[in-house]
Amino acid sequence: LAPDGMVMVEAHHPARYGHYEGHKELFLKALSGKGQRGVARSDMGLGVEVFLPVFNRNTVIGVLEVSRLFSLDFLEKIKAKYGLELMLYDQEKLKATTFTDSEVLGSKSLDDLRVEAWQTRSSVTSEIRLGNSSYFVTCKPIQSVAGNVLGILIMAVSHDRMYELIQSMTFVVG
């Protein structure tokens, strides 16, 4: 994007995906020289946006906007890196999950945590039983720049996995 807001290059197919100009307030802040990030909803779903100023000799000449949809592929990459199970809700609808156990997907305890995080607009953490395992669970609201809750990201790690992580960090001195 150029300083006047003109889109110089789009790296997606506008006829297929539409043209999205992003958050004007984040764009304007990026024009002042500071990178910005936010969450947005489009026809494709929830995603994260990053706005980075483009400089030429200490003068901002444009803004690079990069966005990424929250998708099952995205969640699976997080799971592979950190060993977490994840669920993504867009509003009240489950959009993606790395959990495969149907008993977990229908858990009232998990749904109660999600609703609490939505209502309080803050992260909620608890230890609950899901299926045959105990988990540490955090439900984190995904909020727009304006503070509106757009969805919920649920992150869970089993007690067994947490024990493995702690063991891998433990070392003997002496």
Side-chain angles (χ1 to χ4, degrees):
L1 298 172
D4 63 2
M6 185 174 121
V7 175
M8 303 296 287
V9 176
E10 289 191 67
H12 69 278
H13 195 285
R16 182 172 177 195
Y17 299 109
H19 176 69
Y20 176 67
E21 294 183 14
H23 292 106
K24 290 291 186 190
E25 66 274 12
L26 296 180
F27 169 75
L28 294 173
K29 287 180 182 177
L31 274 179
S32 73
K34 295 183 180 183
Q36 304 293 312
R37 64 184 165 87
V39 176
R41 176 183 285 117
S42 70
D43 294 341
M44 302 286 293
L46 290 174
V48 63
E49 302 179 299
V50 177
F51 296 80
L52 301 170
V54 178
F55 292 93
N56 181 15
R57 297 186 183 148
N58 296 326
T59 301
V60 177
I61 60 170
V63 174
L64 173 66
E65 177 187 352
V66 179
S67 53
R68 166 88 191 226
L69 285 175
F70 293 127
S71 63
L72 180 57
D73 178 58
F74 184 71
L75 297 184
E76 286 175 342
K77 287 179 181 174
I78 295 171
K79 178 180 179 173
K81 184 166 185 168
Y82 299 105
L84 299 172
E85 297 290 349
L86 300 129
M87 299 174 94
L88 175 68
Y89 282 84
D90 184 347
Q91 298 286 348
E92 300 291 320
K93 186 174 181 185
L94 178 63
K95 289 300 215 176
T97 182
T98 60
F99 278 107
T100 55
D101 185 344
S102 61
E103 197 174 327
V104 170
L105 299 177
S107 167
K108 180 167 177 9
S109 300
L110 195 56
D111 200 49
D112 288 346
L113 282 178
R114 180 185 60 80
V115 169
E116 182 181 347
W118 187 281
Q119 291 173 344
T120 62
R121 297 174 179 260
S122 61
S123 294
V124 177
T125 300
S126 186
E127 192 174 341
I128 60 175
R129 189 138 186 95
L130 298 172
N132 294 322
S133 300
S134 293
Y135 285 83
F136 297 104
V137 178
T138 296
C139 296
K140 180 170 180 34
I142 300 170
Q143 294 179 284
S144 69
V145 174
N148 300 319
V149 178
L150 302 174
I152 299 287
L153 178 63
I154 298 175
M155 300 162 279
V157 62
S158 71
H159 283 192
D160 292 341
R161 177 68 180 137
M162 182 62 78
Y163 180 74
E164 289 172 12
L165 291 170
I166 292 169
Q167 286 297 316
S168 69
M169 292 184 274
T170 304
F171 58 94
V172 178
V173 178

